[in-house]
Amino acid sequence: MTAKPLSRGERWLLGATSVGAVAVGALGLASSFDAVSGAAVRWGFDAPWMLPAGIDLAIPVFTVAHLLLVRMNMALAWVRAVPWALTGVTCWLNVAAGATVPARIAHGVMPLLWVVLSEIAAHAYAVRIGAATGTRMERVRRSRWLLAPFATLALWRRMVLWETTSYREALARERQRQLVRAELRERYGRAWRRRAPVRTRVLLRLGELSPDGPTAGQDQRPEPEPGPPTARASRSPAELLAQAREITRDWPTDQLTADAIRKAVRTSQHNGRTLRDTLRAERRARLPHPA
């Protein structure tokens, strides 16, 4: 489901929010940098600035690296856990830098501003990647989980198993599946799971059936192409005579036999003799009479 484009006012709001978020994140990064640097001095680091720089800057770096790997279809599961681990480390270091409980809480909250900003940016880019690659699975509505938990669990399970990323597509397939189940039950009775063909049951589980389709229990054979009329075709005497005239137009009179006309027109022997007599009589009538 494609998101609607932002309006002009929403774009302005997004720009202002982005600027504010960057400013707040910078404050959190600066606070974490100062607190961890001061603690690193007490802990005996020769270059105390390297500790906060290495940890705090590594959070967005590894997050972006993970997203780029996903974009290139080269994802590594453990790379996503690195920013989370570094987040825990930087929060713990900031808490340890405080002397009192309020100071520890304040020191622990400030780096979260930078971490939250990084996660929001990563989430926005991840959604864009999923929309571009078609791998982002849409969520099932919470109201559906509440109203029909077991049916929704089965729907979500099929979405995961068969890689159906669109929620609307999954609902459409579920509606088709329910209609096919109703058709199979109507055709085979309550024991349709045993009586229906194996292929039909497998296709139903795969979600490849559609109502009134050829696999819903009906064998649809191709209709034969219409061929020339046969002897059993219902044709009036006038139609038989018109067809015989057209076929035998260039025939010599001595070839106007009942058997030849019967085979050409594909009719009965009686009709063949009748047509022979009629055609010969017409040709005799067209001959010039002697003076």
Side-chain angles (χ1 to χ4, degrees), residues 59 62-64 66-67 69-70 76-85 118-119 122-123 126:
I59 294 175
F62 278 97
T63 301
V64 173
H66 167 71
L67 295 175
L69 289 175
V70 172
L76 292 173
W78 61 268
V79 176
R80 187 66 185 99
V82 173
W84 295 342
S118 301
E119 285 296 319
H123 173 73

Side-chain angles (χ1 to χ4, degrees), residues 225-256:
E225 297 182 358
T230 61
R232 290 185 295 271
S234 177
R235 289 173 289 175
S236 64
E239 292 175 345
L240 285 173
L241 181 58
Q243 186 177 1
R245 285 172 181 165
E246 182 68 23
I247 294 175
T248 62
R249 178 184 302 171
D250 299 328
W251 289 16
T253 305
D254 56 352
Q255 292 185 4
L256 291 177

Side-chain angles (χ1 to χ4, degrees), residues 38 45 90 235 270:
F45 277 79
T90 188
R235 289 173 289 175
H270 174 72

Side-chain angles (χ1 to χ4, degrees), residues 89-108:
V89 171
T90 188
C91 289
W92 180 78
L93 291 177
N94 277 269
V95 170
T100 62
V101 174
R104 291 182 177 183
I105 295 176
H107 280 293

